[in-house]
Amino acid sequence: MGDLELLLPGEADLLVRGLRSFQLREMGSEGWNQQHENLEKLNMQAILDATASQGEPIQELLVTHGKIPTLVEELIAVEMWKQKVFPVLCRLEDFKPQNTFPIYMVIHHEASIINLLETVFFHKEVCESAEDTILDLVDYCHRKLTLLVAQSGHGGPSEEEESQYSTPMQELQKQAELMEFEIALKALSVLRYITDCVDSLSLSTLSRMLSTHNLPCLLVELLEHSPWSRRERDTLLDQLPNLADLQGFLAHLALVEAQSPKKDLVLEQMPEIWERLERENRGKWQAIAKHQLRHVFSPSEQELRLQARRWAETYRLDVLEAVAPERPRCAYCSAEASKRCSRCQNEWYCCRECQVKHWEKHGKACVLAAQGDRAK
């Protein structure tokens, strides 16, 4: 598995075999936490293997054991939890956790799964092994890209809005919102890999992509708004330059005479995971939130220490450095940075001078972040 191994082949096989689906009320439980930890290990090992270009056994194991549908179902389940249960938790007046780390792990679960899927979906056989759940994954990607287009029309939060994140739960909501952008970009990448397998997709999948969701038009909206780009000091920093090919294709498509769609398909498969989960849990969102409040998200200090120890063993520093996409950049001048803000630990700087110059912009957020950490 490359020069740096997080998992031995036998360990990886055991972890993949053990992957299963959880009910919404089980999220955050001991068994769920163990699987989340296993997924993180598989995720990091898959990135290491792909970087080393020496075969990708994690992808092969997921296909061999038929676990891609399980990952898709878990992805949609945690998406539903974030939309239906998490807001209820935030509104519960009697829920004032001293530590929000257990809830953050559930929120982060979606990012972990979509990152693993992005890594392995590069291979055509993975897309084929998704079977009927490819419809659910297409729907998931459509929801994320629609949200990305909707958010691109709005600027970032104002200083007054940022100052409202004073409690740990409000700070957690802010982190969840920021995470959605990265998740949406991963979903865009997964959708791109799905379109690479168009010759092996079912007619129902193609119909859902082209007729039901009209994904080409959605991609045009993405190109128009470019939510992955930002302007800093009059310099456009494009984070997804590979979309230039798509832009050229769409420009060519605009010159082609459109033909009226044919409606020859009578029987059509439909995605079922979201609808099934919503049907099973409809009207139970508050009950699920209160159950998790009592049994999952109010751990003792000893339980928190044990969990922290386990995560420290999972996130080995040498592995994190190997899987990091790039070195941190200075928040002021964008040069490669090696120094971190000692108070909030959120911003990086290349030198003391840049940190001082950036303080006027960073100061208020830094103080709030530090207060949030002390509150936890």
Side-chain angles (χ1 to χ4, degrees), residues 4 12 49 76 99 153 216 227 249 324:
L4 181 60
D49 294 336
I76 295 174
N99 193 301
F249 169 75

Side-chain angles (χ1 to χ4, degrees), residues 283-312:
K284 302 177 183 177
W285 311 120
Q286 187 163 358
I288 293 173
K290 290 186 175 180
H291 168 81
Q292 293 180 323
L293 184 156
R294 293 191 299 268
H295 302 287
V296 177
F297 297 137
S298 300
S300 65
E301 186 175 345
Q302 182 179 1
E303 290 171 331
L304 281 172
R305 288 178 179 174
L306 177 61
Q307 188 64 52
R309 190 180 305 117
R310 289 172 55 182
W311 282 113

Side-chain angles (χ1 to χ4, degrees), residues 259-306:
Q259 298 181 358
S260 57
K262 297 181 179 179
K263 292 290 185 178
D264 295 334
L265 190 61
V266 178
L267 297 177
E268 184 177 358
Q269 289 178 290
M270 299 294 291
E272 62 177 36
I273 297 177
W274 179 277
E275 184 177 343
R276 173 172 54 79
L277 289 172
E278 191 170 37
R279 184 174 61 252
E280 292 173 352
N281 297 282
R282 187 178 294 119
K284 302 177 183 177
W285 311 120
Q286 187 163 358
I288 293 173
K290 290 186 175 180
H291 168 81
Q292 293 180 323
L293 184 156
R294 293 191 299 268
H295 302 287
V296 177
F297 297 137
S298 300
S300 65
E301 186 175 345
Q302 182 179 1
E303 290 171 331
L304 281 172
R305 288 178 179 174
L306 177 61

Side-chain angles (χ1 to χ4, degrees), residues 124-172:
K124 184 176 181 179
E125 56 268 27
V126 175
C127 184
E128 294 172 347
S129 72
E131 300 176 343
D132 293 344
T133 61
I134 196 70
L135 284 162
D136 297 276
L137 188 55
V138 166
D139 270 26
Y140 171 86
C141 293
H142 176 260
R143 289 193 294 271
K144 293 301 175 182
L145 298 189
T146 301
L147 182 63
L148 190 60
V149 169
Q151 290 180 338
S152 64
H154 302 82
S158 64
E159 291 187 4
E160 291 183 1
E161 290 174 328
E162 287 185 343
S163 66
Q164 294 175 2
Y165 299 118
S166 57
T167 69
M169 287 301 293
Q170 290 173 335
E171 178 65 26
L172 196 60

